[in-house]
C-alpha cells in the first residue's frame, strides 16, 4: 500500500514538475517579451516628447513672426488714410508682408479683410488658425501620453509575469524536495503545497493577461 502510494506520488510529482517547468520557462519568456515591448513604448513616448518640444518651440517662433508681420500690415492701414494717393503702393507692401508669413495667416487675413475687419475673425485668434498652427505639437503630446500609458500597462504585465515566474520557481523547489524526501506524508504535503503554489502562479498569470 505504501509502495503504491509512493508510486502515485512520484507520478503526480513528475507531472507537476513538467507543468511547472513549462510554465516557469514560458512565464520568463513572456516577461522578457513584455518588458521589451514596454521599453519600446517608452522609447516612442520619449521621441514624441522630444519632437513635441522642438515643434512647440518652432511653432512659437513662427507664431511670433506671423504676429509681427500682421501688426506691420495693419499699421499700413493708417498710412492708407493719411496718404490715399499711395494706395496701390501701400496695398502692395501690405500684400508682401502677409504673403511672406505662413499660408495659414495669409488665408486668415484674406477672410478677415473680406469680412470688413470683423473682431471675431481677427487672423491670429481664429480657431482655424490656431488649429493649423498648433495641431502638430498637440498631437505629438497626446501620442506621447498614449505611449506612456501603454508602456506602463505592458510594464505592469511584465512585472506580474515575473512574480508568477518566481512563484513557479518556488513550486519547483517544493517538488524537488518532495521527490527526494523518503517520508510519504511529508512528500504528499510538499506535493499538495507545490500544487497550490502552482495554481496561485496561474491565477497571477491570468490576472496579468486579462
Amino acid at each position: 500500500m505504501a509502495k503504491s502510494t509512493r508510486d502515485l506520488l512520484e507520478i503526480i510529482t513528475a507531472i507537476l514538475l513538467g507543468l511547472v517547468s513549462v510554465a516557469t520557462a514560458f512565464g520568463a519568456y513572456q516577461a522578457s517579451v513584455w518588458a521589451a515591448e514596454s521599453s519600446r513604448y517608452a522609447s516612442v513616448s520619449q521621441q514624441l516628447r522630444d519632437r513635441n518640444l522642438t515643434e512647440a518651440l518652432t511653432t512659437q517662433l513662427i507664431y511670433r513672426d506671423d504676429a509681427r508681420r500682421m501688426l506691420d500690415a495693419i499699421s499700413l492701414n493708417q498710412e492708407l488714410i493719411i496718404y490715399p494717393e499711395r494706395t496701390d503702393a501701400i496695398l502692395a507692401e501690405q500684400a508682401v508682408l502677409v504673403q511672406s508669413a505662413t499660408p495659414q495667416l495669409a488665408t486668415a487675413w484674406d477672410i478677415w479683410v473680406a469680412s470688413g475687419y470683423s473682431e471675431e475673425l481677427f487672423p491670429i485668434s481664429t480657431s482655424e488658425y490656431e488649429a493649423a498652427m498648433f495641431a502638430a505639437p498637440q498631437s505629438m503630446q497626446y501620442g506621447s501620453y498614449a505611449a506612456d500609458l501603454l508602456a506602463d500597462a505592458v510594464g505592469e504585465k511584465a512585472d506580474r509575469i515575473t512574480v508568477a515566474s518566481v512563484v513557479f520557481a518556488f513550486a519547483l523547489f517544493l517538488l524537488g524536495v518532495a521527490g527526494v524526501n523518503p517520508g510519504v506524508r511529508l512528500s504528499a504535503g510538499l506535493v499538495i503545497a507545490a500544487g497550490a503554489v502552482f495554481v496561485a502562479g496561474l491565477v497571477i498569470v491570468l490576472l496579468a493577461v486579462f
Side-chain angles (χ1 to χ4, degrees):
M1 179 69 178
K3 181 175 175 57
S4 61
T5 301
R6 185 67 190 182
D7 291 342
L8 180 61
L9 275 175
E10 289 179 354
I11 293 173
I12 295 174
T13 301
I15 293 173
L16 282 176
L17 274 171
L19 291 174
V20 177
S21 297
V22 171
T24 303
F26 182 74
Y29 169 75
Q30 283 298 110
S32 65
V33 169
W34 280 338
E37 191 73 11
S38 177
S39 296
R40 281 194 290 271
Y41 283 129
S43 177
V44 169
S45 176
Q46 183 60 52
Q47 291 174 17
L48 286 173
R49 275 196 296 270
D50 293 341
R51 290 181 60 190
N52 171 57
L53 177 60
T54 302
E55 192 74 22
L57 291 174
T58 302
T59 300
Q60 287 179 7
L61 292 174
I62 294 173
Y63 180 82
R64 290 176 183 174
D65 184 68
D66 273 0
R68 181 179 59 81
R69 293 177 187 276
M70 186 194 68
L71 291 176
D72 288 344
I74 291 174
S75 67
L76 290 175
N77 284 339
Q78 303 301 320
E79 292 191 29
L80 286 173
I81 298 173
I82 301 172
Y83 306 107
E85 70 278 3
R86 296 184 58 241
T87 297
D88 291 342
I90 293 173
L91 289 177
E93 186 179 349
Q94 194 176 59
V96 169
L97 282 170
V98 173
Q99 293 303 321
S100 63
T102 61
Q104 293 86 350
L105 179 65
T107 300
W109 175 271
D110 291 340
I111 295 174
W112 185 51
V113 172
S115 70
Y117 303 101
S118 168
E119 292 184 5
E120 296 179 355
L121 296 176
F122 191 67
I124 61 173
S125 65
T126 62
S127 57
E128 292 79 8
Y129 174 79
E130 291 179 349
M133 291 296 295
F134 297 101
Q138 287 295 328
S139 63
M140 290 177 189
Q141 182 179 8
Y142 177 78
S144 174
Y145 174 71
D148 261 339
L149 291 180
L150 286 173
D152 291 342
V154 175
E156 185 178 351
K157 284 187 177 183
D159 291 341
R160 289 185 180 181
I161 295 299
T162 300
V163 171
S165 297
V166 174
V167 172
F168 290 146
F170 181 62
L172 283 175
F173 170 75
L174 292 177
L175 290 171
V177 174
V180 299
N181 195 289
V184 175
R185 289 185 178 180
L186 182 56
S187 293
L190 289 171
V191 170
I192 292 172
V197 172
F198 175 57
V199 171
L202 288 179
V203 170
I204 295 174
V205 171
L206 291 175
L207 290 176
V209 174
F210 301 104

